[in-house]
Amino acid sequence: MTFINIEANTDMRFSEDQQMIQEAARGFCQDKSDIEAVRKLLDSETGFQPEIWQEMVELGWLGMCIDEAHGGSALSLDCLIPIAESMGRQLLATPFFASTLAAQLIQRAGSEAQKTRYLPMIASGTIATLALLDNEDWGAALSKCNLSADGKINGRKVLVEAAAQAEIFIVLCQQGEQQRLVIIERSELDNSAIETHTLIDETKRAGIVSLNDFSISEAQLMPTSAADALADVKLIGALLIAAESVGSTAACLNLTVEYLNTRKQFNKLIGSYQALKHPTVDMLNMMEGARSQVYHAATLLADSQGDITRDAEIACRMSKASANDALLFAGDRAVQFHGGMGFTYECDAQLYIRRAQWSQQHYGDSAYHRKRLAPLILA
Amino acid sequence: MQTDATTLDAFRAEVSQWLINNIPEDPGFLLPQSFMEVGSEEQLEFLIAWQKKVYEAGYLGMAWPKEYGGGGMPQVYQNIVDEELMNHKAPIIFNVIGLGWAGPLILDMGTEEEKQKYIKGILTADDIWCQGFSEPDHGSDLGNAQTRAVRDGDDYIVNGSKIWTTFGNYAKYMILLARTNPDAPSKYAGLSFFLSPMHADGISTTPIQKITGEYGFCQTFFDDARIPASCLMGEENQGWKVAMRTLEYERSVHGGQASTYKFLPIAMEDLLHSCKTIERDGKPLLEDPVVQDQLVQFLIEEKSLALMKERGDIPELCTDYPFSLALSGKLIATELFRRARQYAVSLQGAKGGLYVGDNMAIEGGQWQRGYFNNFSATIGGGTSQVQANIIAEHALGLPK
Ligand SMILES: Cc1cc2nc3c(=O)[nH]c(=O)nc-3n(C[C@H](O)[C@H](O)[C@H](O)COP(=O)(O)OP(=O)(O)OC[C@H]3O[C@@H](n4cnc5c(N)ncnc54)[C@H](O)[C@@H]3O)c2cc1C
């Protein structure tokens, strides 16, 4: 169909590296994370199995985009996408995203000493995380977490991914006009500094990090340019979560199609009713749209060697907005289309709608991204 | 023929320049926004002349075989031309039923004689084609078509009526679906497919006025019309399969079209332009955050659509439901544009109530007319609801 006049960039490729990783990641996630395994972990403390994490490390996933000099394999960012999508598909939750994004930030803006210390640790499986939010606002211009001139932090970071599991925290603080990022190691924190949240998505883990007159040394401060790098890393975060959501949407769609093909009412398979059939087609189309956005964004990031160009920013934001909407719609309809069964804890539809609610806010909901797209594309 | 990037870029530049030099001036009357809207002699003459010009420049049927009048070149050349036609908002290439459906069908499964007879005339627009599928009582349920064709010596005698026949009153040929065996075991088994002449005794057409007030399609009557038995395409009673094949071309499931430039692009860009001049609450509409949000949403969807087309070429990224992208294109695109055009009218404030012909209408009322005309695409070629059934059943595997 050629209705449209797209002057925008529509490049999309799927590299050999990506293909190989896709194959490996699909197989791995299917193997390690069937629905039973997912459910077993719901009320566990950490939300993941250490052996599986270790295998991911051995597969090289944690160092995938880290420089070779720092223990990684220096692949381009598009290689993360098939992993994220495969994890989403199997609802395999680990601190993979948190660690990967922390590594991105250190690699982009850390001091040499910080890179040398932390990147090899992350590549070999030490869990790292970003502590960004002080409240619910992903769009806050100023942090409420204060860094005083004499190096003391006062504040409370909330919704920190894998807070209870992480060994390395990158904390966003405010120093006067400036945003500063500080690297803190778990060993420096009291146990009481960390609390865990109760999350809507029981596969995920996040918590609170409280810092009261917490003294840091100069060496823990990231260079001032880190605040700019953070903006880029947040877009990469949005893209990774979008890729993960696309995978979850596909799984949610499969679950729904399966039920529509087995459940009978009025002597007919319920899938023959158009009131169910047509919204299921909408799920499919929304997923296909979001997936296309995601692989396009991945291509642009590979082409720019990780730089967030204007086109890449547009693509990441569009990916997140469309992936949010697709998974929310799919999860919502999956519950409804399972009838009374859909209202139960036992029905897997709940896993997807809960995931949808978590993921939509993580690195920005749809309206947040549309608002930032407006000046980029309506000018 | 080379298809490396440098050659193709040079070719694109050449086409673009040719279009700049050759796109005709505004003729002073309304041009149709899609092939389904050609409704007057002056529009038709204009479009015939334009198609001829494009063909003679070598930019039409570029991938069709040389021996029948095509260019014998790789498809990518035609794709570039189609994109450039769109980028330059050229008038549409109107002989769509020939170029898009009958032509590829004849090239695929026609005899040598049929290829010699029909293909060139489709490209030059000397032979306009129409499609006789829908009937007054059987539209979506096309398999139930009841127009009768009875073999009589070297002829078939046809009785019945087709409706919504685009180009019916201008066409020389019709792809016709008619019932040759009313007692067949299933409704599909008794149908045959014909490449029927339109200029034959007993065939007449009556134009029908459309929702826009213009004319554009016809009812076609067959009253003991005799058509040569040689018009039969494929075997008698095997017509359903052939008809399905043409519908797949029509819904862009298959390639092979001489050109796919059949709708005037209605770019979001144009919508943005209007939003800069239209006022709401004393300010340009584009400054209204509510409007911005909705426009961005449309732009995301528009981009998704373009990207889905790209992804369709990467099989490793289409493993879930391999047919979905090909089957969904028409539904997604036509529904998106229906919503966008409806929204565009809603943005016009009080002027949303004006129509083509009023000299205060915004952009001549093109959004109003475009919104109405958009239904041709959500209804014609299989309604959106029927498309959704097809996707559900054939891509997702849901029951009938
Ligand atoms: C501008 C235009 C040009 C056209 N040109 C041609 C042409 O050149 N040649 C030609 O042969 N035909 C042409 N058509 C006809 C077109 O293919 C039919 O209108 C279309 O297939 C619908 O058939 P119908 O009009 O009989 O509507 P109906 O089939 O009666 O449909 C009425 C409503 O019921 C819905 N509906 C029907 N069946 C189902 C179902 N199973 N599930 C869910 N909903 C259903 C439809 O979606 C629609 O909303 C054209 C139509 C238009 C609008």
Side-chain angles (χ1 to χ4, degrees), chain A residues 274, chain B residues 36 131 133-134 139-140 164 166 217 376 379-381 383 385 389:
Chain A
Q274 292 181 352
Chain B
M36 286 182 271
Q131 179 187 38
F133 284 13
S134 308
S140 299
W164 324 126
T166 303
F217 47 21
S376 66
I379 297 171
T383 66
Q385 291 68 37
N389 290 342

Side-chain angles (χ1 to χ4, degrees), chain A residues 4 254 277-278 288 370, chain B residues 86 302 311 321 324 393:
Chain A
I4 327 158
N254 291 344
K277 205 177 212 176
H278 290 188
E288 296 288 31
R370 286 198 302 269
Chain B
M86 182 167 75
E302 182 193 48
R311 190 160 61 83
Y321 297 101
S324 93
E393 287 153 26

